[in-house]
Amino acid sequence: MTLTTEVNQYMDELIEIRRHLHQHPELSFQEENTKKYIADYLENLGIEVKRDVGGNGLLGYIKGGHEGPTIALRADFDALPIQDEKDVPYKSKVDGVMHACGHDAHTASLLITAKILKKHEQDIHGNVVLIHQHAEESLPGGAKAMVEAGALDGVDYVFGTHTASHIDANKVGFCSGPAYAAADSFEIDIQGVGGHGAMPQLAKDPIVAASSLIVQAQSIVSRTVDPLESAVVTFGTFKGGNAFNVIADKVQLSGTIRTYLPYVKDQIKERLNGILNGIESSYGVKCHLKYHDGYPPVVNHEKETEWAKKLASEIDSVEEAFDFPPSLGGEDVGYFLQHVPGTYFFTGVGNKALKATYPHHHPKFDLDEQSLQNSVKLFLSIIEHSDKLEKYAIKKTETT
C-alpha cells in the first residue's frame, strides 16, 4: 500500500473543494453550511459521521482491516471577519468574511485524505478519526468542547497541520516541544473625570493615565520576565474621547499576552496589576482589569514530531522537511495535544510568483494550492506507517 502515489489524481478535486469553501466562508460558531458540506461529503464516501460534537464539530470514523493504533487527524474550518481583497475567481462571496488563515485548505486536505483512506480501509493498521473542528479563531474555541464531548475517546495519537504562507511551497516545518504560545486577552477600563480641554486641572484625564500605563507595561517583559523565557504583552485597541477639545471621562484598552510557561503568565498578570494600582494612585483614576485565559500552548511531542519529520522527508514532492522555530501565535489544537501524543506541523504554501506571500489574517491572503498535496501525502503516510509509529515510540522510550 503506497497511498501517497494516488494524491495527484485528486488534485483537481482538492483545489475545487478549497475554492468552494473559500467562496462560502462562515465565522466561528456560525458554520452551519460548512459543517453540512463536510458531513455530506464524508457520508457520501460511506464514512460514519458524528455531527454536532461540542457544537459545530464533526467526527468521521474509518475502521482499518488490521490491528493497530487509533490515529486522529485534525482540521479546522471557520473563517475570519475580514473583507477579501483578492482579485481571483474564487474570491469570498460573503461580504466582510474571508478564509484568511488557510482553514479552507486544511479542510479540503483532510477530506481528500479521507477519500483515499476510505478506498483502502482494509489495508489500514488501526483506525482513523477525522476531527473537523469548528471555531478555532474565537474564544473559547471549538477544540476544548470537542475534547469534552469525547472526540479523543479511544484515540492514541493526534496529528494536524497549519498552512504557512511564510514558508516556501513544498517545504514542511516541524517544531518539537512548545510550538505556539498560550494566547490570553485582556480588557482594561480606566475611569477618570471628564472636563474642558482648556481646564485640565479640573479633570482626571484617563487618556494620559492610559498612555502612561502602556509605556510602563513595555517594561513587564524586559524587566520582569527571565530574558531566557519568551513572552509578549501587546495593546491592540485604545478607545477614548469624542472631541478634540474635551477631556474624556473613560478609556477602554484591550490587548493580548502570550506565554509558554504558566509561571511566566502569573508573573505578567501580577506585574500588570501592580502597574494599574500605581496608575490609580498617580492619576486619581479607577482601573478595572478583565483577564481572559485563552488557548493553552501547543506543545508537540518529541518522538511523534521526529517520526513525522522523517516521513515528510521521504515524500517526493517535499523539497525540505526542516526544524521550524516556535511562534507566539495561538492555536487551540493544543487542547488535543494535552491529552494524547502527536504533533502539529506546518505546510509551506508561500509562492511569490502567485502573490501568495501575504501574512495570515491579511485581506489578500492566498496560497499555492498545488503545495496542499504535501498535507495530504503526510497524513496518508502517517496512517500507512501507523504500525511503525508504535514501534518507533517504544524504541525511543526504551533508549531515553
Side-chain angles (χ1 to χ4, degrees):
M1 179 174 67
T2 306
L3 301 180
T4 58
T5 60
E6 296 191 18
V7 175
N8 288 342
Q9 64 184 289
Y10 294 105
M11 283 304 298
D12 288 345
E13 185 179 1
L14 171 60
I15 293 171
E16 179 184 354
I17 293 171
R18 184 259 165 168
R19 292 187 175 188
H20 170 82
L21 296 171
H22 198 83
Q23 289 179 292
H24 303 90
E26 294 180 300
L27 295 173
S28 305
F29 302 106
Q30 302 176 32
E31 313 98 335
E32 297 297 328
N33 293 324
T34 306
K35 72 175 183 181
K36 183 178 185 304
Y37 178 91
I38 296 169
D40 289 348
Y41 185 93
L42 294 175
E43 288 178 342
N44 287 336
L45 295 175
I47 293 174
E48 177 189 351
V49 175
K50 184 177 181 181
R51 302 180 184 232
D52 300 323
V53 179
N56 289 331
L58 301 161
L59 297 175
Y61 298 95
I62 299 175
K63 296 181 179 180
H66 305 276
E67 290 187 2
T70 296
I71 296 178
L73 304 175
R74 178 266 195 178
D76 41 14
F77 57 82
D78 56 325
L80 287 156
I82 296 173
Q83 184 66 40
D84 193 345
E85 295 182 1
K86 296 189 302 297
D87 184 15
V88 293
Y90 49 89
K91 180 178 180 178
S92 172
K93 294 182 178 180
V94 183
D95 189 46
V97 183
M98 175 190 174
H99 274 293
C101 204
H103 296 188
D104 51 344
H106 304 167
T107 300
S109 298
L110 188 53
L111 289 177
I112 292 300
T113 299
K115 187 169 190 173
I116 296 173
L117 288 176
K118 180 61 179 177
K119 180 180 174 182
H120 297 277
E121 62 182 337
Q122 290 304 312
D123 297 321
I124 295 173
H125 289 262
N127 304 306
V128 180
V129 178
L130 307 164
I131 300 178
H132 285 277
Q133 185 209 309
H134 62 300
E136 186 278 326
E137 296 287 3
S138 296
L139 292 172
K144 185 173 185 290
M146 290 193 74
V147 171
E148 292 172 347
L152 293 178
D153 288 355
V155 170
D156 298 304
Y157 303 93
V158 62
F159 295 89
T161 186
H162 203 302
T163 55
S165 63
H166 54 290
I167 298 177
D168 290 341
N170 298 324
K171 295 183 179 181
V172 184
F174 297 85
C175 182
S176 182
Y180 278 136
D184 300 342
S185 63
F186 62 85
E187 300 163 8
I188 298 173
D189 291 337
I190 301 180
Q191 182 65 55
V193 177
H196 197 293
M199 294 179 282
Q201 74 277 13
L202 301 179
K204 303 292 184 184
D205 194 336
I207 289 181
V208 173
S211 300
S212 179
L213 163 64
I214 292 172
V215 171
Q216 292 184 55
Q218 305 314 302
S219 69
I220 294 177
V221 173
S222 65
R223 289 297 178 267
T224 300
V225 177
D226 185 331
L228 297 180
E229 303 296 347
S230 297
V232 164
V233 177
T234 294
F235 286 83
T237 68
F238 189 131
K239 299 177 183 179
N242 296 302
F244 77 95
N245 60 348
V246 176
I247 293 175
D249 69 334
K250 187 177 182 179
V251 165
Q252 295 177 312
L253 307 170
S254 67
T256 185
I257 290 173
R258 305 296 173 101
T259 57
Y260 289 129
L261 299 174
Y263 85 85
V264 174
K265 177 196 290 193
D266 291 340
Q267 285 180 324
I268 292 175
K269 290 168 70 173
E270 181 180 0
R271 182 68 184 124
L272 183 58
N273 275 302
I275 292 174
L276 289 172
N277 290 335
I279 292 294
E280 287 186 335
S281 176
S282 298
Y283 294 93
V285 296
K286 293 295 183 182
C287 301
H288 179 66
L289 169 66
K290 292 181 180 178
Y291 195 97
H292 308 282
D293 290 307
Y295 304 150
V298 176
V299 182
N300 289 324
H301 297 253
E302 180 183 359
K303 296 186 294 294
E304 290 71 22
T305 302
E306 291 178 358
W307 184 74
K309 180 184 174 185
K310 178 178 181 296
L311 292 179
S313 69
E314 298 169 352
I315 293 173
D316 58 352
S317 55
V318 174
E319 296 177 3
E320 183 183 9
F322 68 101
D323 292 326
F324 190 70
S327 164
L328 285 169
E331 236 285 358
D332 70 347
V333 72
Y335 284 114
F336 297 116
L337 289 165
Q338 281 183 331
H339 291 81
V340 295
T343 196
Y344 193 61
F345 60 93
F346 306 94
T347 301
V349 295
N351 189 324
K352 291 182 180 179
L354 299 176
K355 298 181 180 180
T357 54
Y358 288 99
H360 293 251
H361 295 208
H362 190 282
K364 292 185 178 181
F365 173 83
D366 207 352
L367 47 81
D368 182 338
E369 293 170 317
Q370 290 296 325
S371 65
L372 299 180
Q373 65 180 302
N374 297 318
S375 297
V376 180
K377 288 180 179 179
L378 185 47
F379 278 153
L380 293 173
S381 187
I382 287 168
I383 301 305
E384 186 172 359
H385 298 91
S386 60
D387 56 332
K388 298 181 179 65
L389 169 58
E390 294 214 302
K391 294 176 182 177
Y392 181 88
I394 292 172
K395 180 179 178 182
K396 292 290 290 184
T397 300
E398 290 174 347
T399 57
T400 299

